[in-house]
Amino acid sequence: KKKTVSFSSMPNDRKINSTAACISLMLEGCELKKVRSNSRMYSRFFVLDADMRSVRWEPSKKDSEKAKIEIKSVKEVRVGKKTPVLRSNGLSDQFPDECAFSIIYGDNYESLDLVASSADVVSAWVMGLRYLVSYGKHSPEAPGTGHPSLRTSWISSVFDLADLEKSGRIPVSRAVQLIKALNPGMKTSTIELKFKELQKASERPGAEVACDLFVEAYCELCTRPEIFFLLVQFSSNKEYLGVKDLLMFLEVEQGMEGVTEEKCLEIVSKYEPSKEGREKGYLAIDGFTRYLLSADCSIFDPQHRKVCQDMAQPLSHYYISSAHSACLLEDNFWGRSDISGYISALGLGCRSIELVLWDGPEGEPVVYTSPSAASCVPFRAVVGLIDQHAFTASAYPLILCLVVRCSAPQQRLAAQCLRKTLGEKLYLEPPNPVASYLPSPEELKGRILIKGKKLPPTCEDSEGEVSDEEEGWELARRLGQEDREAPEGGGLRRVRLSRELSELVSLCQAVPFQDFESSRRGQRYWEMCSFSEVEAGRFANECPAELVSYNKRFLSRIYPSPMRIDASNMNPQDFWKCGCQMVAMNYQTPGLMMDLNAGWFRQNGACGYVLRPAIMREEVSYFSANAKDSLPGVPAQLLHLKVISGQNLPKPKGSGAKGEVVEPYVCAEIHGIPADCAEHRTKTVLQSGDNPIFDESLEFQINLPELAVLRFVVLDDDYIGDEFIAQYTIPFECLQPGYRHVPLQSLAGEPLPHATLFVHVAITDRRGGGKGHRRGLAGRRGRRVREYTSTKATGIKAIDEVFRTATQPLREATDLRENVQNALVSFKELCGLTPAANMKQCILTVSTWLLHSDSAPSVTLNLAEQYPPMEAQGPIPDLLRKVLTAYETMIQTSRTLIESADAVYGKLIQAQQAGMDFHKELHRIETKEGLRGRKLQKALESFAWNITVLKGQADLLKHAKAEALDNLWQIHNAGQSCGIGRNGSASPEPSRLRAPLEPIPE
C-alpha cells in the first residue's frame, strides 16, 4: 500500500516550518492528481528520489526512466491554475485554485499539471521544488544540516541571555515567558503544552529545558507556514530575504513605488531581530513576520491617516460626521445622567451635534440626557464642554443643531451663553447674497456654526413665531411635556423664537421642505432642511436622481425615526448614495451601522469631512443611486481578496466553558450603491485553535469605488446561532494592495490586541488591463462582443448634432483601451501570471526561465528604443515563441494608444465643451421646443448622461495612456535589473513617462 501524507491529518509536530520539512515530506512521497491535456485526471504517487535529483511518479505506462522529471530541467514552478490545461473549461470548477500547481520543465517548456488534496500539500511541494531548483546542484545532503542558520543562532543567543546560571538549561516557566515575550498574543497554555509534547517525545521530562529543545519549541510555535512560503517565493537563497529580494517583494507584490535599497536596509534594521542579519542586510522569517504585522505594512493606506482631500469645495460637497441628540445616552431607556457622550463623539471627529433645549427648573435652559426628568444637564455646562473639545480631533467647522423647546426668556439666556462662551469661534457673518454655494470647510476652519430657525425679515419685535421642527418630539412625548396639539388640518406647529437666538443663525438656516421643484426655484444656498429617515428613504427609492441633484447645492440632515426607541441606527449608506451630507447617528449604539460610519469617516484624516464622489458634485452629471450596473464614465473595478489566515482570535463574548474551541469563518461584505452590495464567506475552519488557516479567494465587482466600504466580520460557527468574534471596516479607497494584516476590532470598535486577519488584496480594472485604483494591475477579460458606450438622443436637434460628432471618437477610445487590455491579458497568461500581476513581474518571469536553462536561447530586450522589442537569436521553443508574439502585440497596441490618445481625447473634450455651452440656454431651448413633463425629464437626463459619458471616457483614455507609459518604464527598469536588457543607457526617465495628469475640469 502506498504511503500517503495528508497535511490536514498530520500530527502537530509535522508542522511545515522549514524547507527541510518540505523536502522530507517529498522524500516520503504522496498522492497527487496528474492532469492531462485532454482534461482527464489520474491519481499517481509522486516521490522525490533519495539523491534529490529527480521527481518520479507511479504507476505509469512509461518505463521508470521516463516517468520522472530531473530537477535541473525545471524552469519554473507555478502555483494555481496558470497553464492552458488547468485553465481549460472542463476543469476549472472541479478544484480550487490553491490546490493546483504546475512544473514547467525541459527545453520545450512542457508542463506537468498537478492537483493536490489541500493547499498545504501544494505549499510543501512548491517550496521544496523551488529550493531544489535554486540549490539542487550544490546541496545533495538534506538542507538544515551543517552550519546553524541565522535564525537558530539568534534563538540560541536569546536562550543564552536567559540562562543566568550558565548551566545550559533554563526553567520551563522562564522559557514560556521568553517565547510569550517574543510572540505577544500567544496563549501561555499553548506554549506550556508544546514544551510537554517535546519533552515527552525526547524523553527528557523535568522542570528545565535545554537550548536545542527551546529552539525546536520556538520554531514550531512561532513559524507561520503561510509567511514562510511567501519568504521562499521571493528569497534567492530560500532562508532569508536579501536587500534585492526585499526590494522585489515591496515593488512587485506590495505595489510600492520608488523603493530604494536604503529604504530596504531601514526595514531590516527596524524589524530583523538577529544582530548578524541586521549587519548583513538579511531579513529572516521572524523579521519578515514582524514587518508584515507592523503599522508600516498596514492594510489602511497611510496617506489617508492625514487630511488628503481637497477641502476648498463648498460645504455641501462633503459628507459630514453627525450625531443624533441621543449621542450621550447608553440607550433611550437606561440613559446615563452625564455628558461624556459629547466628549467621545467630538473625540471621534464628529462635526455636527444636536442639542434640544428645554425649560430648566432653575430658570435657565437644560439638555436632557435621558427620558427621566431627573437626568438633565444645564445648557451652559454642555456649551462649556463643546468649547473645550470642539477642535481637539478636527480643525474643520462644527455645526450645532439647536432644536428649541424652551420659552423665549430661557432662549435669550441660551443665546447669551453661546456668545459669551464660544466668543470668536461663533460664525455670525451674514451669507454672501452674490455667492451660489456655501463657503468651504477650509474657509470655516475653527468656527462653530449654529443651525436653527430664523425670524422672518419682516418681524421687528424681540420675539416672533416660526414653524416648528418635527425632530425632538419623541423625547417630549416620553417626558410628558407635549402640551401642544398639532394644528388642525395637519399643518406645521408654530413656536415662539427670541431675536437673540435667531441672530446666531447664519449659514445653516432651518427651513421646512416642500418639494424639489420649489427648492430648485426658491431655496437659498444657506437654507437647509431636515428629513426624517422615513421621508428621506421614500425620496431615495422614488426619486433618487432629484435627491442627488438637490444635495449638490443644499445641505440635508437625516435624523432617525422616532420609532427607534432602543437608539438603534439607520444604515447611513442608504442616504450617502443620494448625496445626503449629514446622517445623524446614535454614537452610543455599537453594531454594523456604527462600524460603517466610523470606518467611512476614517478616510480623510478622521477630520469629520469626506469629499463626495465627483459624479455627485458636478453641476451636470448623470447618476442614479439605484443603478444596477456600472455607471457611465466611472470605471468598474474588481476586488480580488484572498483571506489567508487569522491570528490570536478571541473567544466570542460570553462563550461558555473553559477550553471551548472557536470554529471561525470570515464574512467579507461590500456596502455601497445597491449594485455593489455583496457578501461572501469563507468555509468554517474546524478545531483550529486561535490561528485558523482559511486560504480562500473571494471576488467583488465595485461599480462606484468612491462610495464602497469593505467590512470583515469574523464569526464563530455554531448550530444555535453564529456568534460575533471581531470586525474591521475600511473604505475601498483606503485599501493597500499586497499581503496585509487586518487589525481586528470588537463590537464597540475598540482594537483587539494582537488579533488580526492575514489577507492578500489586488484591485483590477473590470474589463482587463490598466491600473485598478491607482495600482498597476490588470484583470482577465472574458471573450465577449465588445461593448461601446454611446450618447443618447435628447430630442433637441441642435444639441443632438453636437453629441453625434462624438460617436466615432467614443468608439476609437474604447478600441484603443481594450486592444491594449486584451494584449496585456494574453501576455500575462502566457507568462503564467495572474491578472493582478504587473509588467515588471512579467519581464522578471521570462528572464528567470532563460537563466534556469543550460542551453538558454538568446532573448534580449533592446532598451535603446522607446518601445523596446524582445529579440531572439537562433531557434526557440514553441512556448517562448508565443510569449514573444504576445509581447510584440502588447508593445504595438501600447504604441498605437500612446500616439493616438491625445487626438481622440481632444475630440471628446471638444464635444463635451460644445455640449456644456448649451447648458446655460437649456431652459430657453426646452421652452422653444415645447418640451414638458416626461419628455422634458428624458431630455434633461439624456443631456446629463452625454456630458458624464464624454468626460468619463476622456478621463479613462488619459489614464490608459499614462499606464501604457508606466508599463514601458517598468519594462526598461526590469530589463536592466534582470540582465536581459541591452543598450540600457537610454532608459526613459520615469519622470518623463509618468507625467502628472492634468485634472479634467468639473
Side-chain angles (χ1 to χ4, degrees):
K1 187 177 179 230
K2 295 290 175 226
K3 186 175 179 185
T4 60
V5 177
S6 152
F7 269 49
S8 52
S9 62
M10 280 189 343
N12 285 342
D13 58 353
R14 285 297 303 275
K15 183 175 176 181
I16 294 299
N17 56 22
S18 68
T19 333
C22 297
I23 288 173
S24 68
L25 204 130
M26 291 163 67
L27 288 164
E28 288 177 12
C30 74
E31 207 163 275
L32 299 170
K33 286 190 169 70
K34 184 169 178 267
V35 186
R36 292 235 181 115
S37 53
N38 61 6
S39 295
R40 288 192 179 165
M41 294 200 281
Y42 301 88
S43 280
R44 297 287 181 261
F45 187 76
F46 282 77
V47 65
L48 176 66
D49 272 357
D51 63 3
M52 296 195 286
R53 295 185 191 278
S54 27
V55 171
R56 298 178 183 274
W57 60 92
E58 52 186 64
S60 171
K61 289 176 184 170
K62 300 175 182 175
D63 64 60
S64 61
E65 279 312 295
K66 286 188 177 168
K68 71 169 189 179
I69 289 176
E70 290 192 353
I71 296 292
K72 67 178 183 187
S73 74
V74 174
K75 307 283 185 224
E76 187 193 355
V77 185
R78 296 179 183 176
V79 187
K81 302 170 192 171
K82 304 278 172 57
T83 62
V85 170
L86 289 175
R87 276 202 197 99
S88 68
N89 293 337
L91 282 176
S92 55
D93 298 333
Q94 290 185 30
F95 49 87
D97 193 63
E98 47 270 13
C99 287
F101 70 106
S102 304
I103 303 170
I104 311 293
Y105 67 97
D107 291 338
N108 289 325
Y109 293 78
E110 294 168 70
S111 76
L112 173 64
D113 298 301
L114 301 167
V115 177
S117 58
S118 75
D120 288 336
V121 177
V122 172
S123 298
W125 275 90
V126 171
M127 209 185 290
L129 284 166
R130 284 179 176 166
Y131 181 89
L132 292 170
V133 167
S134 297
Y135 266 112
K137 295 165 189 162
H138 321 292
S139 136
E141 82 284 353
T145 58
H147 70 279
S149 69
L150 259 184
R151 185 185 202 195
T152 312
S153 312
W154 166 66
I155 302 165
S156 303
S157 70
V158 171
F159 180 90
D160 292 342
L161 284 173
D163 180 10
L164 306 173
E165 297 79 23
K166 301 295 170 227
S167 62
R169 304 174 70 78
I170 62 172
V172 172
S173 57
R174 195 182 302 164
V176 169
Q177 288 310 312
L178 208 50
I179 289 182
K180 198 167 168 59
L182 293 169
N183 201 335
M186 189 173 281
K187 285 182 182 166
T188 308
S189 57
T190 309
I191 308 170
E192 288 170 346
L193 191 65
K194 178 56 66 181
F195 278 119
K196 278 181 188 161
E197 274 176 23
L198 292 176
Q199 284 180 320
K200 189 178 176 186
S202 61
E203 297 178 352
R204 287 188 285 174
E208 292 187 319
V209 290
C211 185
D212 60 332
L213 204 115
F214 178 79
V215 170
E216 192 180 347
Y218 178 88
C219 289
E220 289 196 11
L221 286 166
C222 304
T223 308
R224 285 175 47 191
E226 71 276 26
I227 292 184
F228 187 70
F229 183 50
L230 192 58
L231 179 127
V232 169
Q233 246 178 298
F234 282 88
S235 162
S236 39
N237 84 330
K238 310 303 167 204
E239 289 295 337
Y240 52 76
L241 296 171
V243 168
K244 284 195 163 56
D245 301 331
L246 182 56
L247 188 122
M248 185 67 64
F249 171 74
L250 296 176
E251 279 196 345
V252 165
E253 206 51 73
Q254 303 297 85
M256 284 170 69
E257 294 183 355
V259 189
T260 59
E261 291 198 1
E262 290 73 35
K263 172 70 184 163
C264 294
L265 284 168
E266 269 176 45
I267 290 172
V268 172
S269 66
K270 189 171 174 182
Y271 296 105
E272 174 53 41
S274 72
K275 187 165 181 262
E276 185 190 351
R278 290 196 299 273
E279 285 167 358
K280 293 182 175 173
Y282 298 155
L283 195 63
I285 179 69
D286 299 288
F288 189 43
T289 305
R290 286 179 182 190
Y291 170 63
L292 287 172
L293 277 164
S294 73
D296 289 345
C297 209
S298 163
I299 190 168
F300 191 93
D301 189 338
Q303 68 185 36
H304 286 273
R305 293 193 191 284
K306 50 186 187 299
V307 175
C308 55
Q309 296 177 343
D310 174 9
M311 299 304 283
Q313 302 267 344
L315 211 56
S316 60
H317 285 185
Y318 298 84
Y319 295 112
I320 303 170
S321 179
S322 305
H324 185 43
S325 61
C327 81
L328 51 157
L329 318 178
E330 273 175 349
D331 65 49
N332 281 357
F333 289 119
W334 309 106
R336 304 185 299 246
S337 296
D338 68 30
I339 45 178
S340 60
Y342 286 116
I343 302 174
S344 64
L346 290 168
L348 291 167
C350 176
R351 295 287 83 197
S352 164
I353 280 180
E354 184 196 27
L355 300 174
V356 185
L357 273 60
W358 299 90
D359 277 334
E362 308 293 320
E364 64 171 309
V366 294
V367 173
Y368 280 96
T369 58
S370 87
S372 131
S375 60
C376 59
V377 177
F379 177 65
R380 62 183 154 74
V382 177
V383 175
L385 205 68
I386 288 169
D387 179 52
Q388 211 178 328
H389 298 278
F391 301 107
T392 49
S394 168
Y396 292 100
L398 174 68
I399 301 170
L400 294 185
C401 303
L402 297 188
V403 179
V404 179
R405 297 272 172 267
C406 60
S407 60
Q410 294 207 10
Q411 289 174 29
R412 289 187 196 103
L413 289 176
Q416 287 161 19
C417 169
L418 286 164
R419 277 185 190 270
K420 187 180 171 187
T421 312
L422 302 178
E424 289 295 302
K425 294 179 189 147
L426 212 51
Y427 185 89
L428 300 171
E429 293 152 41
N432 177 358
V434 186
S436 304
Y437 286 94
L438 288 161
S440 69
E442 191 58 48
E443 291 170 78
L444 296 168
K445 248 183 173 175
R447 307 302 291 273
I448 294 176
L449 311 181
I450 304 292
K451 178 227 165 211
K453 292 285 178 184
K454 206 164 170 63
L455 290 172
T458 51
C459 174
E460 293 175 7
D461 300 333
S462 62
E463 58 183 71
E465 264 198 357
V466 291
S467 61
D468 191 11
E469 298 202 50
E470 278 303 297
E471 205 174 350
W473 281 111
E474 67 271 26
L475 184 60
R477 290 185 193 105
R478 267 173 271 152
L479 285 166
Q481 291 193 11
E482 192 187 10
D483 53 353
R484 284 160 290 189
E485 289 300 313
E488 286 176 32
L492 290 166
R493 291 185 180 89
R494 310 289 292 174
V495 291
R496 302 293 291 172
L497 179 67
S498 80
R499 176 165 299 283
E500 283 96 326
L501 207 53
S502 169
E503 283 171 351
L504 299 184
V505 177
S506 166
L507 293 177
C508 298
Q509 184 181 336
V511 296
F513 179 78
Q514 290 169 308
D515 57 65
F516 290 115
E517 187 53 37
S518 305
S519 296
R520 191 163 75 93
R521 294 187 187 284
Q523 191 171 334
R524 292 166 299 187
Y525 72 83
W526 61 84
E527 294 175 334
M528 65 175 284
C529 299
S530 290
F531 302 88
S532 81
E533 111 183 61
V534 176
E535 186 184 19
R538 195 177 76 246
F539 292 145
N541 289 326
E542 292 172 9
C543 42
E546 287 180 85
L547 190 51
V548 170
S549 183
Y550 172 85
N551 285 320
K552 286 178 186 176
R553 274 193 66 204
F554 309 115
L555 285 176
S556 62
R557 181 173 186 276
I558 317 298
Y559 58 88
S561 158
M563 302 308 288
R564 294 184 182 275
I565 56 171
D566 57 350
S568 60
N569 276 307
M570 49 194 165
N571 185 345
Q573 283 278 4
D574 290 344
F575 307 104
W576 290 339
K577 70 180 184 187
C578 295
C580 299
Q581 299 88 347
M582 299 159 73
V583 183
M585 303 294 285
N586 288 310
Y587 269 59
Q588 77 284 8
T589 309
L592 164 63
M593 305 315 174
M594 223 24 239
D595 293 344
L596 293 177
N597 195 71
W600 179 252
F601 282 104
R602 221 176 271 142
Q603 67 183 289
N604 190 25
C607 76
Y609 284 83
V610 167
L611 190 61
R612 296 184 315 167
I615 200 166
M616 288 188 182
R617 305 191 312 262
E618 287 151 1
E619 197 177 346
V620 181
S621 65
Y622 177 86
F623 172 68
S624 169
N626 296 332
K628 293 285 182 281
D629 196 8
S630 55
L631 303 160
V634 179
Q637 295 182 355
L638 280 181
L639 169 63
H640 309 264
L641 187 66
K642 186 172 190 185
V643 181
I644 302 168
S645 60
Q647 291 72 46
N648 307 313
L649 298 180
K651 282 187 194 171
K653 266 196 173 156
S655 67
K658 191 181 176 195
E660 182 187 324
V661 176
V662 174
E663 298 194 330
Y665 65 93
V666 178
C667 215
E669 307 165 347
I670 293 287
H671 298 265
I673 59 169
D676 292 344
C677 292
E679 179 182 305
H680 296 309
R681 58 159 286 179
T682 66
K683 58 184 176 294
T684 299
V685 180
L686 303 172
Q687 304 292 317
S688 69
D690 314 320
N691 303 303
I693 299 278
F694 299 102
D695 226 347
E696 209 157 328
S697 300
L698 313 172
E699 195 174 276
F700 297 91
Q701 179 173 314
I702 315 287
N703 295 291
L704 185 56
E706 289 171 281
L707 211 59
V709 175
L710 169 64
R711 182 173 185 256
F712 295 94
V713 194
V714 188
L715 294 156
D716 185 15
D717 202 337
D718 194 347
Y719 63 91
I720 297 170
D722 299 348
E723 290 188 89
F724 176 91
I725 295 174
Q727 64 84 26
Y728 182 73
T729 309
I730 179 170
F732 183 82
E733 297 278 283
C734 299
L735 284 171
Q736 289 217 90
Y739 288 93
R740 306 284 173 186
H741 280 91
V742 177
L744 294 171
Q745 298 178 341
S746 69
L747 190 64
E750 288 143 2
L752 293 168
H754 314 299
T756 52
L757 287 178
F758 187 45
V759 299
H760 182 266
V761 175
I763 298 164
T764 63
D765 186 81
R766 183 180 68 157
R767 291 222 170 81
K771 282 193 184 178
H773 180 62
R774 313 189 304 279
R775 322 286 188 202
L777 306 174
R780 171 92 178 121
R781 177 187 183 282
R783 304 275 174 255
R784 57 182 178 79
V785 176
R786 185 165 293 179
E787 293 167 9
Y788 293 99
T789 308
S790 57
T791 56
K792 292 180 177 178
T794 62
I796 301 168
K797 193 179 174 191
I799 295 178
D800 287 343
E801 277 174 9
V802 165
F803 287 133
R804 214 169 286 127
T805 62
T807 307
Q808 192 52 35
L810 278 171
R811 286 183 75 89
E812 285 172 26
T814 304
D815 287 338
L816 286 170
R817 285 189 299 107
E818 297 223 349
N819 289 346
V820 171
Q821 288 169 1
N822 292 347
L824 271 170
V825 169
S826 301
F827 180 53
K828 286 176 189 183
E829 283 188 355
L830 284 164
C831 292
L833 293 169
T834 64
N838 58 31
M839 190 48 59
K840 199 165 187 178
Q841 280 169 293
C842 297
I843 302 300
L844 294 171
T845 301
V846 174
S847 73
T848 310
W849 297 347
L850 301 172
L851 298 172
H852 279 167
S853 182
D854 294 333
S855 55
S858 175
V859 174
T860 53
L861 270 171
N862 184 355
L863 301 180
E865 297 188 29
Q866 190 192 348
Y867 301 96
M870 203 180 269
E871 297 157 348
Q873 277 77 42
I876 56 169
D878 188 40
L879 175 73
L880 210 52
R881 185 171 300 287
K882 284 180 182 169
V883 169
L884 293 186
T885 309
Y887 174 84
E888 182 59 29
T889 308
M890 183 200 68
I891 285 290
Q892 288 311 324
T893 53
S894 299
R895 181 174 190 161
T896 309
L897 168 69
I898 290 165
E899 291 173 356
S900 316
D902 289 352
V904 178
Y905 173 84
K907 289 177 190 167
L908 291 173
I909 288 300
Q910 195 179 346
Q912 188 232 5
Q913 286 169 346
M916 282 303 286
D917 289 344
F918 281 107
H919 178 241
K920 291 185 179 65
E921 299 292 307
L922 211 51
H923 285 295
R924 187 182 60 76
I925 298 168
E926 290 159 11
T927 314
K928 187 181 163 190
E929 298 273 332
L931 293 175
R932 58 175 61 84
R934 185 77 199 102
K935 277 189 176 174
L936 172 61
Q937 188 62 31
K938 194 92 186 95
L940 291 172
E941 259 180 34
S942 297
F943 182 83
W945 165 277
N946 295 344
I947 294 293
T948 307
V949 160
L950 291 173
K951 180 185 177 302
Q953 294 297 313
D955 254 336
L956 291 177
L957 185 61
K958 193 156 195 167
H959 284 88
K961 178 185 173 183
E963 277 152 22
L965 289 167
D966 186 63
N967 280 338
L968 289 181
W969 181 80
Q970 287 189 43
I971 290 169
H972 275 90
N973 192 308
Q976 283 180 322
S977 65
C978 69
I980 63 167
R982 59 186 177 84
N983 309 327
S985 57
S987 168
E989 276 297 304
S991 58
R992 188 167 66 83
L993 285 183
R994 297 179 173 196
L997 291 179
E998 301 149 32
I1000 296 171
E1002 288 185 7

